[in-house]
Amino acid sequence: MNKVTKEQLEMHIAESTVHDAGPYSNLEVPVVMSYPEPEFMAKWVHPFYLTSTMTRFTEFQHSYSEIRSQIDSALISKLLTYFNWRPRKVGSYFAAIENSKEHCQHIGRLLLRSDVRYAGQAHALALAQFNTNDSISYLCKYLDHYLQHPELQFDQGAVYGAVVYLDTQNGTKLAKKYTEQWHKFAKGSSNCVDGMAKLLESIRGLSSGPA
């Protein structure tokens, strides 16, 4: 790695890293610190990390359909392992669309650690799509801790919205425990609830499409 590339990587890591040694910072996850190869980013990351499954659904759907047959568990794991929010976000998108529940622990731990910015919403999306006892537990553990810390403006809204959505799907009342605290945290905003529901519906639309 030349000096310029090394400096760019260090700057990227510094800008996207969350410096908060919370109770979940010691959860073990596989990590690759090097920046992904340009060819890998061009094929697997760039077409997806800035597009939205909700607001730019057609664009996302088209790009996804072109590479879907090549997506497997190993690729999703590789995406999630980079210490970089872009591939991690895409890895969780892919896991959600393919309902790849074997990645539940990996994604759940990434959400709880929250050691890079911008990927938490996608992690919450995947865990909600899995809709298992374990995935729901990760979402609730996240709220148990991070709603207590308004100074940490992370992905509390996305996670709360995921729990509310799952209550409507499962006939449960898990979100009730967090409602008062959420309103204090968010000052009454409900956009996250509607937004997460729409994201999950779009993910399910992709999941049911042709492989």
Side-chain angles (χ1 to χ4, degrees):
M1 180 182 296
N2 62 44
K3 183 179 179 181
V4 174
T5 303
K6 183 179 180 181
E7 289 177 352
Q8 289 174 336
L9 175 60
E10 290 173 348
M11 183 179 296
H12 162 77
I13 291 173
E15 289 175 348
S16 62
T17 301
V18 175
H19 300 285
D20 174 62
Y24 298 117
S25 60
N26 291 325
L27 287 176
E28 292 186 4
V29 292
V31 178
V32 173
M33 297 300 293
S34 60
Y35 197 82
E37 292 296 323
E39 295 82 5
F40 182 86
M41 291 290 287
K43 180 175 182 178
W44 298 111
V45 179
H46 290 159
F48 305 103
Y49 82 95
L50 285 180
T51 58
S52 168
T53 58
M54 183 170 64
T55 59
R56 294 165 66 181
F57 179 81
T58 302
E59 181 180 346
F60 189 103
Q61 184 180 43
H62 175 73
S63 297
Y64 195 78
S65 66
E66 292 187 330
I67 50 87
R68 186 172 191 178
S69 63
Q70 302 172 59
I71 294 173
D72 57 19
S73 178
L75 172 65
I76 293 173
S77 292
K78 184 175 182 178
L79 287 161
L80 294 171
T81 298
Y82 282 110
F83 193 78
N84 182 313
W85 67 271
R86 296 169 180 85
R88 283 188 178 181
K89 180 178 181 179
V90 173
S92 281
Y93 274 162
F94 288 0
I97 295 168
E98 301 303 326
N99 201 20
S100 187
K101 295 176 183 177
E102 66 190 271
H103 295 95
C104 178
Q105 182 186 79
H106 194 171
I107 293 172
R109 288 187 172 190
L110 289 176
L111 178 68
L112 291 178
R113 287 174 59 96
S114 289
D115 48 12
V116 299
R117 305 177 192 275
Y118 316 126
Q121 183 192 58
H123 298 335
L125 187 72
L127 294 170
Q129 172 72 347
F130 298 159
N131 194 9
T132 64
N133 290 337
D134 286 343
S135 69
I136 294 170
S137 177
Y138 284 118
L139 295 170
C140 290
K141 285 179 181 178
Y142 182 95
L143 293 177
D144 287 337
H145 174 64
Y146 287 102
L147 280 181
Q148 300 284 343
H149 294 278
E151 75 280 8
L152 302 176
Q153 294 288 324
F154 290 172
D155 298 283
Q156 290 91 332
V159 177
Y160 179 72
V163 173
V164 171
Y165 178 85
L166 289 173
D167 276 348
T168 66
Q169 298 297 304
N170 300 333
T172 52
K173 297 181 180 180
L174 295 174
K176 185 176 181 180
K177 173 183 176 181
Y178 306 105
T179 301
E180 182 178 353
Q181 201 168 3
W182 164 249
H183 285 300
K184 289 180 180 178
F185 182 94
K187 299 180 181 179
S189 174
S190 62
N191 290 341
C192 65
V193 177
D194 296 336
M196 181 55 69
K198 290 176 181 177
L199 277 170
L200 280 158
E201 291 301 330
S202 67
I203 284 290
R204 291 184 173 181
L206 285 167
S207 299
S208 62

